[in-house]
Structures are given as structure tokens and as C-alpha cells.
């Protein structure tokens, strides 16, 4: 059974930084691309960034390009999202999930859409 645990969220001022961490179990981690998604109140969940299986291929939503960096440590079955220069519009619940990466505006599609972790809340104050 796939399980993911997200952590690292918090309250920061605009311009600040956070590093999100996601640890996965129940799957051959290095066989899967993994993505970060976020969902703001009243909005649909959206793909933020996606990492290919080795980490060499990465994808970002236009809104975070140049500010966010995704990375992974397959030995630790962990994926990270370094978020710099945060903006109030980045406020959302952030989730990670095994995914299919896309170079288009979608960024990623979750492979197991019926399962999501508990997420980690990111709140950016202006």
C-alpha cells in the first residue's frame, strides 16, 4: 500500500523560504516519477512540480519556475521541494504523489488519484 508523508510547511512572510519533504513507502520509489501538487481553498488541486525517476528530468508550473526546486533522494525514498521567494498566492495545502510528469501546463497527473497523504500547509503572509 502506497503511503506518503509530507512535512515542512508553515507560516512565512512574502519573500521567505520553506523546504517541503515527502517520504514514501509501499512502492519501488525509484521506479516512479513523483510530483508536488497544491490546493488552495476554493480551487482545484494543481501540479506544481514533478521529478522523473532519476531526478534528472524536472518540470515546473509557470507560476513557480525560477523560485521552486524539486529534488529527490531515492536511497531515502524522499522528495523535496525548496521554495524561495514565496508569494501570498503560494498559500495552499501541498501534497506529494507518484505521478506521470508532463511538459505541458498540467505538470503532472497523479497515478493513484484516489489516495492522497495528509498534506502540509503553506501560508504566506503579505
Amino acid at each position: 500500500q502506497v503511503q506518503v508523508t509530507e512535512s515542512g510547511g508553515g507560516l512565512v512572510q512574502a519573500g521567505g523560504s520553506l523546504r517541503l519533504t515527502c517520504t514514501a513507502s509501499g512502492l519501488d520509489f525509484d521506479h516512479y516519477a513523483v510530483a508536488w501538487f497544491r490546493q488552495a481553498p476554493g480551487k482545484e488541486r494543481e501540479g506544481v512540480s514533478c521529478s522523473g525517476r532519476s531526478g534528472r528530468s524536472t518540470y515546473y508550473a509557470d507560476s513557480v519556475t525560477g523560485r521552486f526546486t524539486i529534488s529527490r533522494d531515492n536511497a531515502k525514498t524522499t522528495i523535496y521541494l525548496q521554495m524561495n521567494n514565496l508569494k501570498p498566492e503560494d498559500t495552499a495545502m501541498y501534497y506529494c504523489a507518484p505521478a506521470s510528469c508532463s511538459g505541458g501546463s498540467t505538470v503532472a497527473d497523479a497515478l493513484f488519484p484516489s489516495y492522497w497523504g495528509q498534506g502540509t500547509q503553506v501560508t504566506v503572509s503579505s
Side-chain angles (χ1 to χ4, degrees):
Q1 181 179 358
V2 176
Q3 288 189 321
V4 295
T5 303
E6 302 95 341
S7 63
L11 172 64
V12 296
Q13 290 187 332
S17 298
L18 285 172
R19 188 193 195 203
L20 305 185
T21 299
C22 167
T23 301
S25 62
L27 75 168
D28 290 326
F29 187 78
D30 57 357
H31 289 189
Y32 290 88
V34 182
W36 284 97
F37 299 82
R38 67 186 181 188
Q39 187 168 21
K43 295 187 176 182
E44 293 188 355
R45 198 180 331 241
E46 62 174 356
V48 175
S49 183
C50 191
S51 170
R53 291 176 292 177
S54 69
R56 286 194 295 269
S57 298
T58 56
Y59 305 82
Y60 297 93
D62 289 344
S63 59
V64 306
T65 296
R67 300 188 297 120
F68 289 11
T69 302
I70 192 170
S71 61
R72 64 191 291 165
D73 185 336
N74 285 344
K76 296 182 179 179
T77 66
T78 298
I79 193 160
Y80 307 96
L81 187 68
Q82 177 67 44
M83 305 187 297
N84 298 328
N85 190 22
L86 282 160
K87 302 177 180 181
E89 50 264 42
D90 295 319
T91 294
M93 187 71 79
Y94 283 71
Y95 303 88
C96 70
S100 173
C101 297
S102 169
S105 60
T106 304
V107 180
D109 294 300
L111 292 179
F112 311 110
S114 63
Y115 172 80
W116 293 94
Q118 84 287 352
T120 186
Q121 177 68 39
V122 172
T123 303
V124 185
S125 62
S126 57

